[in-house]
Amino acid sequence: MSKLTLISSDKKRFYVNPSIFSDTKIPQMLETPTTNLLSLNSINAVTLEKVIEWCVYHSNFRLNNSNCTDASNKKKWEDNFIKVNTQLVQHLVDAADYLEIGSLLELGCRKAAEKIRSGAWERQRSSLPNHIQDKISSNLPPCALKRAAEAGILRMSPKQRLHNKIWTSIFKQDDYFDLALDCGVNPILIGKDLTGNGEMFLVFTSIDWEGEVHFALQERGHKITDFLHEHYLDETTLECKIKGSPITVNIWQAKNHEFSVVRDLEERLVQADLDGNRWTAYLSLTNPSIHYLRNNCKPDGRVQIKCEDYPNPRTGEPTEWLCLDDQEISYRETTNFETI
C-alpha cells in the first residue's frame, strides 16, 4: 500500500500508512481514494506527530483482537500518552475535534478538566467551541465547574446551570463526588420539583451497591454530612435543612433491599396533575438532564424509582430504588415510577 504524506501547518512532512486513519475524518478529506498528499494547515508538527502515534497504536490494538489484559495495558498507554503540557493538550483537543477522532477527543477533554482544576488551563471560553466546553464540563464535578464558569474558562448551558445550581446548593466541596466517581458510583437526587424554585425536599442516594463509598469515607474519618453546606441535621430522620436555603435533603443511604424512610412521602416527593397522573423526578450527578417519571396509580405509601441512566450493575436493567414513608418493613404493593 502506498504511503500517505501529511503536511503540518509548519510544513513538516509525515509518511504514514493510510489505513491507520480508518476511524477518522481523513479518508473523507482525500480528494480521491488514490490521493497520497494531504495538508493539515491547522495542526502543527508536534501535535500531528502525537495524533499519528495515537492512530498507529489504536489501529494495531484493533488488528490484534485484544483481550482484557491488553485493554488494561491500553489504559496505561493512554494515561502515559496524555502526560503532556497544557498547550499540547489544547492542541490535541482541537486536532481530535477537527479530524473526528472521538476517543482522543474524550481523553483530551478529561485531561483538560484536570488542567482546569489544577489552575493550569490558559484558554478562555471564547476560544472553545460550545460542544468542546460541554465535553470538558462533563468531566468536572459541580464545585470545580462552578469555579471554572465564574473564572470565564467555561460556559454552562441553561441545563448545566440548573444541574450545577442544585448540586452546589447542597455540597460545599467536591471531595465526596471525587470519591464516589472513583468508586464507579453515580449519586442521584429524587424530588417533587428539581427546578430550584421555592421549597425543595430531596432524597439523596449514592446507590452504593457494594458499600465502597461508605467504607472509603469511614477510612478517611468522614461522613457525607461533612461535605454539605452548613445545615441542621435531624438525627432521627437524617434530614438536613441547609442553612439559608429552601432545600431539605434526606441523606439516608439505602443498602441492598432496605428502604429510605420519608415522612409524608406523597406530599413531599410526588406531584399530581388534574388527570390523576402522579409525577416525581430524579437528577444524577453525571447527567445534567432532569428525568421526569410518571404513574397513574392510587397512592399506596411506597414508590419505586426507575433510573434509566443508572443501570443495575448486576442485571443491566434500570436501577430501582425504593422510598418508604413510614417505619413498617412488611411487604406492601409498590407504585412504579417510570420514565415516560
Side-chain angles (χ1 to χ4, degrees):
M1 181 180 294
S2 61
K3 294 287 187 176
L4 171 65
T5 302
L6 299 180
I7 306 175
S8 67
S9 60
D10 41 357
K11 306 307 178 186
K12 184 171 180 179
R13 291 176 176 246
F14 295 86
Y15 305 96
V16 295
N17 186 331
S19 65
I20 68 171
F21 300 117
S22 60
D23 287 344
T24 77
K25 185 183 178 182
I26 286 180
Q28 303 168 38
M29 298 170 71
L30 301 174
E31 293 182 4
T32 69
T34 58
T35 300
N36 59 8
L37 183 68
L38 181 63
S39 294
L40 296 170
N41 297 322
S42 62
I43 305 176
N44 65 33
V46 173
T47 306
L48 185 53
E49 185 173 13
K50 289 289 284 184
V51 168
I52 292 170
E53 180 186 355
W54 176 273
C55 292
V56 167
Y57 180 88
H58 286 80
S59 176
N60 291 335
F61 186 83
R62 289 192 300 272
L63 290 173
N64 292 334
N65 295 315
S66 303
N67 57 31
C68 292
T69 301
D70 293 325
S72 176
N73 292 334
K74 173 172 169 282
K75 185 180 184 307
K76 292 177 183 176
W77 184 90
E78 290 179 348
D79 289 343
N80 188 61
F81 171 90
I82 204 65
K83 289 179 180 177
V84 297
N85 62 48
T86 302
Q87 185 179 50
L88 187 48
V89 172
Q90 295 170 353
H91 290 164
L92 284 171
V93 166
D94 289 336
D97 183 45
Y98 175 60
L99 298 175
E100 298 181 3
I101 309 173
S103 55
L104 179 55
L105 180 58
E106 291 295 334
L107 180 66
C109 288
R110 286 200 300 273
K111 192 65 176 182
E114 288 181 22
K115 296 284 188 181
I116 289 171
R117 291 189 73 174
S118 69
W121 191 255
E122 299 163 359
R123 283 172 65 167
Q124 295 296 296
R125 62 187 175 205
S126 59
S127 65
L128 285 170
N130 287 347
H131 68 283
I132 297 295
Q133 293 189 55
D134 289 343
K135 283 183 177 294
I136 296 174
S137 297
S138 69
N139 288 283
L140 286 170
C143 298
L145 176 55
K146 182 179 180 180
R147 290 192 297 271
E150 290 173 345
I153 298 171
L154 295 171
R155 65 171 257 296
M156 284 192 279
S157 67
K159 185 185 294 185
Q160 287 174 321
R161 281 199 298 272
L162 176 57
H163 179 271
N164 190 266
K165 176 184 176 183
I166 294 171
W167 284 107
T168 58
S169 294
I170 300 168
F171 286 84
K172 63 183 179 182
Q173 60 196 75
D174 287 324
D175 300 59
Y176 175 80
F177 301 133
D178 291 334
L179 184 58
L181 294 173
D182 284 346
C183 292
V185 165
N186 182 13
I188 64 170
L189 294 167
I190 299 170
K192 178 178 182 176
D193 177 15
L194 294 175
T195 61
N197 298 316
E199 293 289 326
M200 278 203 297
F201 177 82
L202 303 172
V203 173
F204 169 85
T205 180
S206 62
I207 317 185
D208 186 12
W209 289 93
E210 307 299 333
E212 292 181 69
V213 180
H214 175 74
F215 292 122
L217 284 172
Q218 282 189 329
E219 288 177 356
R220 291 163 172 77
H222 286 298
K223 51 188 181 297
I224 293 174
T225 49
D226 294 340
F227 307 110
L228 303 182
H229 286 293
E230 192 175 359
H231 59 275
Y232 304 98
L233 173 64
D234 185 324
E235 297 284 356
T236 303
T237 62
L238 294 181
E239 291 177 6
C240 296
K241 178 69 175 73
I242 307 298
K243 290 185 180 180
S245 166
I247 298 175
T248 299
V249 188
N250 178 318
I251 59 163
W252 196 93
Q253 294 292 277
K255 296 181 284 291
N256 299 323
H257 297 291
E258 298 173 358
F259 311 127
S260 178
V261 177
V262 178
R263 299 172 302 168
D264 305 320
L265 180 145
E266 284 292 322
E267 178 183 342
R268 303 174 89 182
L269 281 184
V270 180
Q271 192 160 230
D273 62 27
L274 296 176
D275 295 328
N277 293 310
R278 296 161 61 241
W279 301 78
T280 193
Y282 80 87
L283 180 70
S284 73
L285 177 63
T286 60
N287 186 335
S289 297
I290 296 174
H291 294 257
Y292 293 95
L293 306 108
R294 180 183 71 179
N295 94 16
N296 54 11
C297 300
K298 292 182 179 179
D300 58 16
R302 180 183 291 177
V303 298
Q304 180 167 282
I305 308 296
K306 290 200 171 184
C307 306
E308 297 292 338
D309 65 339
Y310 198 125
N312 183 320
R314 297 183 180 88
T315 66
E317 297 296 321
T319 291
E320 297 173 358
W321 188 70
L322 298 174
C323 302
L324 185 66
D325 69 340
D326 56 37
Q327 299 290 342
E328 296 178 10
I329 58 173
S330 58
Y331 177 79
R332 290 188 293 175
E333 290 297 323
T334 298
T335 303
N336 290 296
F337 278 80
E338 302 186 22
T339 303
I340 56 171

